Amino acid sequence: MDNNRSEYSDEQIIGQLKQQDLQQPEEKTDLQIELTTQPQTNLSTSVKNEGKKKGLWAGLAFILAILAKGKFFFVFLITKFKFLFIFLKLGKFLSTGISMFITIGIYALIYGVKYAIGIVALLFLHEIGHYIIAKRVGLAVSGPVFIPFVGAFIGMKEMPKDAVTEAKVGYGGPLFGSLGAVVCLGAYWATGSKLALALAYTGFLLNLFNLLPVHPLDGGRIVSAVSPYLWLIGIPVLVFLMFWLFNPIMVLIVVLGLTQVYKLWKNRDQLSVYYEVPMKERVQFAILYFGLVGILGLGLSYALELLR
């Protein structure tokens, strides 16, 4: 009996040990851990590599699309921003616009906005007349530049080749300016506007003053094709006006006029060719000059009577 009990006990012990082995969790070896974790690492790496490849192909496709459609993009910029090119093209007139607005602003503080705009518009017509005629005779000139209380001017990048060319350019300003004054007078007749009448009077006065036969005024340039000796008549008239009105600008013009007379007398032999003008053209310029002086004088007198 003791033997059976001992055998039974041994069997019970073996059974209990087997049950304990079944209940304990299975430990993973290094090989098992490598087999279970390595496939996951390879999978994530392959996904990342695939993403990088797709990103590279997408970037390359984008660059190729830009290169392929670059000309269309350039055309788009030209059509949408063509005003920039126009602005650059017209950049040479930028000084004209800036000086014009500055002059209007200064005059507006004294005379009011409407009258200031009118005066600058008349000055612009005068100078644009010089500009157009200068271009017609082939002279390189800049756009008009305005100077408050002085007037305006166009810069001549080259000198006229003879007195006839100089006279043509000089005549263009008073001609266009006088037409502007006549338009203002017509506006007064049509509307009865005192502003239009005042501008007409101003236009007649400014252009008549510019026709004084004194260099560098327009009149002095015009009569150079008639006879430079007419400068000797204009200078005393300007001196009288200088003392009567006491204007420093007139002092400057007198000084410049006397300087030009001195240069002509000193270099009369060299300049004689410059002032050689056929008699027919001398007569034509004389008629044009004195005719415009007469018309402006009548217009000025008429406008002055209306203002009174």
Side-chain angles (χ1 to χ4, degrees), residues 16-240:
Q16 290 177 357
L17 290 173
K18 287 183 177 180
Q19 289 180 356
Q20 290 178 358
D21 291 338
L22 291 174
Q23 291 177 355
Q24 290 179 354
E26 183 178 2
E27 295 181 358
K28 295 181 180 180
T29 63
D30 293 340
L31 179 61
Q32 288 175 325
I33 293 173
E34 183 178 358
L35 289 176
T36 55
T37 58
Q38 189 66 33
Q40 295 177 359
T41 304
N42 291 338
L43 179 62
S44 61
T45 303
S46 63
V47 170
K48 290 180 180 178
N49 291 334
E50 187 68 23
K52 290 181 179 180
K53 290 181 180 179
K54 290 182 179 180
L56 290 175
W57 282 111
L60 181 60
F62 177 76
I63 294 174
L64 291 176
I66 291 296
L67 293 176
K69 298 182 180 181
K71 60 180 181 179
F72 300 105
F73 181 70
F74 183 70
V75 172
F76 172 80
L77 287 178
I78 292 178
T79 54
K80 294 298 182 182
F81 301 100
K82 59 184 179 181
F83 67 92
L84 293 177
F85 296 95
I86 296 174
F87 178 78
L88 292 176
K89 185 177 180 181
L90 298 178
K92 59 182 180 180
F93 292 104
L94 187 62
S95 58
T96 300
I98 293 175
S99 61
M100 180 184 292
F101 282 113
I102 292 175
T103 305
I104 290 175
I106 294 175
Y107 285 167
L109 296 175
I110 302 172
Y111 308 113
V113 176
K114 293 181 180 179
Y115 188 69
I117 293 175
I119 292 176
V120 174
L122 289 172
L123 291 174
F124 178 78
L125 282 175
H126 182 104
E127 295 304 321
I128 209 65
H130 289 310
Y131 182 87
I132 292 174
I133 301 301
K135 289 295 186 181
R136 285 179 63 93
V137 299
L139 289 179
V141 293
S142 66
V145 176
F146 295 82
I147 303 176
F149 307 111
V150 175
F153 67 93
I154 60 169
M156 300 184 68
K157 301 178 182 179
E158 57 179 321
M159 296 303 295
K161 61 181 180 178
D162 51 39
V164 172
T165 304
E166 184 178 4
K168 289 179 179 179
V169 176
Y171 195 81
L175 178 62
F176 277 63
S178 300
L179 291 175
V182 171
V183 170
C184 291
L185 185 60
Y188 166 73
W189 288 337
T191 63
S193 171
K194 292 294 184 180
L195 175 63
L197 179 59
L199 289 173
Y201 173 80
T202 303
F204 290 134
L205 178 62
L206 290 177
N207 287 281
L208 184 60
F209 175 79
N210 259 286
L211 285 176
L212 283 174
V214 180
H215 209 281
L217 294 178
D218 295 332
R221 298 183 182 277
I222 296 169
V223 299
S224 64
V226 179
S227 175
Y229 291 104
L230 290 173
W231 295 347
L232 299 176
I233 299 175
I235 290 177
V237 174
L238 189 60
V239 170
F240 169 77

Side-chain angles (χ1 to χ4, degrees), residues 281-298:
E281 290 184 294
R282 288 182 185 273
V283 173
Q284 289 176 347
F285 278 109
I287 294 173
L288 291 172
Y289 172 72
F290 290 107
L292 187 56
V293 168
I295 292 173
L296 288 173
L298 292 174

